[in-house]
Amino acid sequence: ASITGVVSAADLQVTAGKTVQIVATNTTASYSFDVTFVSGGVKLVGTHGTTFNGAATLFLANAKSVSAQLGDGNDHVRITGKGQSVTLALGGGRNEVICKNFEAEKLQVSSSGGLRMHAWYSTLGALTVTSGSTGVDHFHAIGLRVTRDTQIDLGAGLNVVQINDSRFRKFSLQSN
C-alpha cells in the first residue's frame, strides 16, 4: 500500500531554483504565508492552513528570489529578510502584503482585487504596486527607502495612502 500526503485546499505548488516559483493549486482558496529570506535560501511558512507541496513549512536552499501567482481568494503574504527580488501576482480577493525589515533589488506586487500594501523599515531598489480594484486600496509606508523607481498605481475607488519617514528617488502615484 502506498501512502500519499494530504493536500490541503490551500496548497501551493512550489518549484525550487534561484527564483522560487509558487503557484496556486486552487484559484478560489485564500492563502496566508510568510516568505523569509535567510542565510542560504528562502523559508516559506504557511499559516491558517496554507501548505507548500503538502508541507506547512519549506526551506529552499540557494534561492535568491520568489515569484508567486495566487488566485482569487483573500490572500495574505508577509515578506522579510534580504533577497534579490519578489514578484507577487494576486487575484480578485481582498489581498494584503506586508514587507517588514525587507531588503531587495525589486518588489513587484499586482492585485486584480483590493490591496492593502504595507512596507515598513525596508530598503528596495525598485517598487511597483498595481491594483485593479474598484474598492478601497491602501498603501502604507514607514521607514521605506527606494533607491531607484517607485510606481504606485491604485485602482478606481476611494484609496488611502499614508507615507511616514520614507525616502524615494523617483516616485509616481496614480489613484484613479
Side-chain angles (χ1 to χ4, degrees):
S2 65
I3 299 173
T4 58
V6 175
V7 178
S8 130
D11 188 56
L12 292 164
Q13 182 65 45
V14 178
T15 305
K18 291 287 183 194
T19 299
V20 174
Q21 301 291 325
I22 302 172
V23 178
T25 58
N26 177 345
T27 59
T28 61
S30 293
Y31 295 96
S32 180
F33 61 95
D34 298 327
V35 175
T36 305
F37 289 90
V38 296
S39 177
V42 172
K43 182 179 179 182
L44 302 174
V45 177
T47 57
H48 304 288
T50 297
T51 58
F52 309 94
N53 299 343
T57 63
L58 190 60
F59 176 75
L60 299 125
N62 302 315
K64 305 276 186 214
S65 300
V66 171
S67 178
Q69 176 79 44
L70 304 180
D72 289 330
N74 299 321
D75 302 315
H76 300 272
V77 181
R78 292 156 303 279
I79 307 165
T80 191
K82 184 176 180 178
Q84 191 170 32
S85 70
V86 172
T87 301
L88 299 174
L90 308 171
R94 292 294 307 155
N95 302 302
E96 182 172 40
V97 176
I98 298 172
C99 299
K100 187 174 182 184
N101 299 319
F102 176 52
E103 187 176 330
E105 283 300 307
K106 180 177 86 169
L107 173 62
Q108 184 172 340
V109 178
S110 63
S111 174
S112 56
L115 179 63
R116 294 181 68 88
M117 174 74 202
H118 308 276
W120 299 328
Y121 309 105
S122 297
T123 301
L124 304 169
L127 172 63
T128 304
V129 177
T130 307
S131 176
S133 170
T134 57
V136 178
D137 293 314
H138 296 260
F139 177 79
H140 184 212
I142 297 176
L144 174 64
R145 306 291 184 257
V146 183
T147 59
R148 291 189 315 274
D149 297 328
T150 302
Q151 173 69 43
I152 310 296
D153 187 1
L154 303 178
L158 181 62
N159 299 310
V160 178
V161 176
Q162 183 178 359
I163 300 172
N164 301 93
D165 189 29
S166 297
R167 285 188 284 182
F168 305 91
R169 183 166 183 196
K170 281 177 67 178
F171 182 85
S172 172
L173 170 66
Q174 265 191 296
S175 180
N176 300 322

